Amino acid sequence: MQSNVAGAESVGVEGYYHVVCRAADGSIKWQDEFPNLVNAGGKELMLDTLLSGTSYTTVGPFLGLISGASPTFAAADTMTSHGGWTEFVNYTVGGSAVRGTASFSSATSTGTTPTNVTTKTATAITYTITGAGGTVGGCFLVTGSGASSTQSNTSGTLYSAGAFSTAKITTAGDTVSVTYSTTATS
């Protein structure tokens, strides 16, 4: 008797941003939650990092803010080429004009095969709005070899980018707290 058993399991990867803006007095001005596009380069980096052994170096990840009222995204976007959006830079993190460093907790899973959900969540990063403030349209995550916390730097691999349901207005002294989580489901 022969048996040819194969499990048909697939994996989907998605990310999620949760953002809260507080005025200088601590009151909540606005908050939003939104899914993001995990870019092709981000998916490739994820698999290369997992499957290429210990010689693969990952830098970051760094989380930045997106400028403007109507950013658009494409799976082919990279840090050097993302025509539908620009980086918002009127902020500091910990007193320095840098992107926030995402510090992730250990991944956790629920359920069993073939249906399970594995999640990894970063600690919230707080951005203090400076200068004239401005319109924030979303968030992005950059990582991989060459990634930098320097604002407007185009090195590294764009892992994900996403937009608010509607653009958000910020003023100097506001704080914007961003939490990023990513989920793999099967």
Side-chain angles (χ1 to χ4, degrees):
M1 176 183 252
Q2 292 184 333
S3 177
N4 191 8
V5 178
E9 185 172 339
S10 63
V11 174
V13 177
E14 53 190 37
Y16 198 77
Y17 291 97
H18 176 81
V19 184
V20 177
C21 178
R22 294 184 183 277
D25 66 6
S27 62
I28 294 177
K29 288 180 73 171
W30 50 262
Q31 57 185 328
D32 205 342
E33 298 179 338
F34 53 95
N36 65 258
L37 170 66
V38 178
N39 301 79
K43 292 174 188 171
E44 291 166 3
L45 177 67
M46 180 178 59
L47 292 176
D48 286 345
T49 303
L50 174 67
L51 300 174
S52 292
T54 59
S55 65
Y56 195 85
T57 303
T58 299
V59 179
F62 303 109
L63 202 150
L65 303 177
I66 293 173
S67 185
S70 300
T72 59
F73 310 99
D77 282 353
T78 66
M79 283 306 295
T80 57
S81 176
H82 47 79
W85 59 274
T86 59
E87 185 171 356
F88 180 86
V89 295
N90 289 344
Y91 67 82
T92 61
V93 175
S96 298
V98 295
R99 297 170 180 152
T101 301
S103 298
F104 284 89
S105 60
S106 296
T108 58
S109 295
T110 60
T112 58
T113 300
T115 303
N116 65 56
V117 177
T118 301
T119 302
K120 194 164 181 78
T121 302
T123 303
I125 300 169
T126 300
Y127 301 82
T128 301
I129 304 302
T130 61
T135 302
V136 179
C139 304
F140 69 93
L141 193 70
V142 58
T143 191
S145 182
S148 174
S149 64
T150 303
Q151 293 176 340
S152 300
N153 183 290
T154 59
S155 299
T157 301
L158 178 63
Y159 178 78
S160 71
F164 295 119
S165 55
T166 58
K168 309 298 182 187
I169 304 300
T170 62
T171 56
D174 289 350
T175 57
V176 176
S177 177
V178 181
T179 304
Y180 182 76
S181 61
T182 188
T183 302
T185 58
S186 61

